[in-house]
Amino acid sequence: MGKFKRSLPVALAYLRMNFGRWLWDMRVWLILAAAALLAVDYLRGYAAYAVAEGKELTFCLLPMLHLDSEALLGSPKVLFYTLFVLLICDAPFLYPSVPYAVMRSGRGKWCAGECLYVVLAALFFMAFLAACCFFVALPAVTFANDWGAGVMDYVNGSEVRSVIEMQKDYPVLIDMPQMAVQYLNPMECQAYTFFAGWATMSVLGLVAYLLNLVSRSRVWGILVAELIVLVDPAVTMGQLYIGKKALLLSPLCWTSIQELDYLDAGSVLSLPLVCVLYGVLLVALVAAIGLASKKIVIEVSCDETGD
């Protein structure tokens, strides 16, 4: 416990150092702006219908952004997770002041702070997406634990329009998780999608961090992390050939609540299994990063020391 108390302030100092750079990093602001624009564009059809027809709309819209798709650009989550990979593309975050901080604090505390930064960056990005969903739904939002007619009418049709007529009069860019909408409440779907998305982004960030750390490059980790993202539609299509076991190959597939065995009797994914898979991946990646951080050489430039 005493060692933890001594390490925590140092880890928090690395967090402040990394997050503090976001304020003047134009790359971060552009990524957040792109994520907001994409969320608005994908979800505005539902909000437009709800406002025009005086219907209510839930703010729990994250599950709609996480549906699996066999088309690369037909899957919003591929674009959002690509943006997250770009957000942490500067891993392993060896800014000019870091080598001196590592010399003072030790590699273990530096490693803990950097892993914590990746996980909290993933948490922030998922919270930002959830906030974007809320603001899209805000003009017609309902805080009841109900999807609202703004969603249900696209499943069952309204009093005056069939589902086909709904799509024609108020087109939407993405479908909805119909089984989830019919059998689960929006809070349950939102909570699962949020935590699964957070865990998946954490895995992607730690993979990028580990490979960049080992290769002493900012290329290989990002390439592999992005490959994991881009292979998701192929894994979805792979179900046609090798069955539902294909879902085990992509963490992005685990973020879609439609793929759980609660809603798909043939699925191999259950909530306990998904939790175990995420736990094993995260623990293994953090342990591997800890081992790798002890072996790398952190160079201090003479130009930076003034020698």
Side-chain angles (χ1 to χ4, degrees):
M1 179 63 75
K3 184 177 180 180
F4 174 78
K5 289 182 178 179
R6 292 192 299 272
S7 300
L8 183 59
V10 179
L12 293 178
Y14 283 111
L15 277 180
R16 289 193 295 269
M17 184 187 306
N18 288 324
F19 278 115
R21 293 181 177 274
W22 284 23
L23 295 176
W24 60 80
D25 191 337
M26 186 58 64
R27 173 180 56 88
V28 172
W29 291 101
L30 289 175
I31 289 170
L32 295 179
L37 290 173
L38 284 172
V40 170
D41 192 45
Y42 276 116
L43 298 172
R44 59 186 172 87
Y46 295 102
Y49 167 71
V51 171
E53 299 294 329
K55 304 294 182 73
E56 292 183 334
L57 180 66
T58 181
F59 62 90
C60 299
L61 300 176
L62 269 180
M64 297 184 187
L65 299 178
H66 284 76
L67 280 178
D68 287 331
S69 174
E70 297 174 5
L72 188 62
L73 296 180
S75 179
K77 64 180 176 180
V78 169
L79 301 180
F80 289 117
Y81 285 77
T82 294
L83 289 175
F84 178 74
V85 170
L86 294 176
L87 185 66
I88 47 88
C89 69
D90 54 343
F93 320 115
L94 291 174
Y95 304 118
S97 58
V98 168
Y100 305 103
V102 174
M103 291 171 62
R104 292 172 61 90
S105 66
R107 292 171 183 258
K109 297 174 184 178
W110 165 61
C111 174
E114 300 292 74
C115 289
L116 187 58
Y117 165 68
V118 170
V119 172
L120 291 183
L123 175 62
F124 172 85
F125 197 79
M126 281 302 298
F128 180 77
L129 289 182
C132 291
C133 293
F134 175 81
F135 283 111
V136 170
L138 188 58
V141 71
T142 175
F143 293 98
N145 197 12
D146 181 82
W147 291 100
V151 169
M152 294 304 298
D153 286 354
Y154 281 92
V155 177
N156 304 318
S158 67
E159 299 85 351
V160 297
R161 294 182 180 87
S162 66
V163 175
I164 295 177
E165 291 172 333
M166 289 282 302
Q167 290 281 3
K168 181 179 179 181
D169 295 342
Y170 296 96
V172 292
L173 294 180
I174 52 174
D175 294 327
M176 64 185 64
Q178 293 197 12
M179 296 292 290
V181 168
Q182 291 179 353
Y183 295 105
L184 299 175
N185 66 59
M187 294 293 187
E188 292 173 334
C189 296
Q190 182 86 347
Y192 174 82
T193 305
F194 182 89
F195 286 107
W198 177 20
T200 298
M201 288 185 182
S202 298
V203 167
L204 292 174
L206 292 174
V207 165
Y209 185 92
L210 173 62
L211 295 181
N212 284 355
L213 193 66
V214 172
S215 65
R216 300 184 65 182
S217 166
R218 290 182 175 177
V219 176
W220 291 107
I222 302 304
L223 287 178
V224 172
E226 185 57 23
L227 181 62
I228 295 173
V229 173
L230 295 178
V231 80
D232 178 69
V235 170
T236 302
M237 185 180 295
Q239 297 180 62
L240 299 174
Y241 305 99
I242 63 175
K244 292 292 184 178
K245 292 182 180 180
L247 296 173
L248 297 172
L249 301 176
S250 172
L252 267 74
C253 288
W254 310 343
T255 64
S256 176
I257 196 168
Q258 287 277 109
E259 302 295 354
L260 292 182
D261 59 358
Y262 295 132
L263 302 173
D264 184 351
S267 178
V268 297
L269 295 178
S270 64
L271 184 58
L273 177 60
V274 169
C275 292
V276 170
L277 290 173
Y278 279 131
V280 169
L281 282 175
L282 290 171
V283 170
L285 286 169
V286 170
I289 289 172
L291 292 174
S293 67
K294 296 179 181 180
K295 299 179 180 181
I296 67 165
V297 177
I298 301 177
E299 298 178 352
V300 179
S301 171
C302 292
D303 294 336
E304 293 166 3
T305 61
D307 293 340

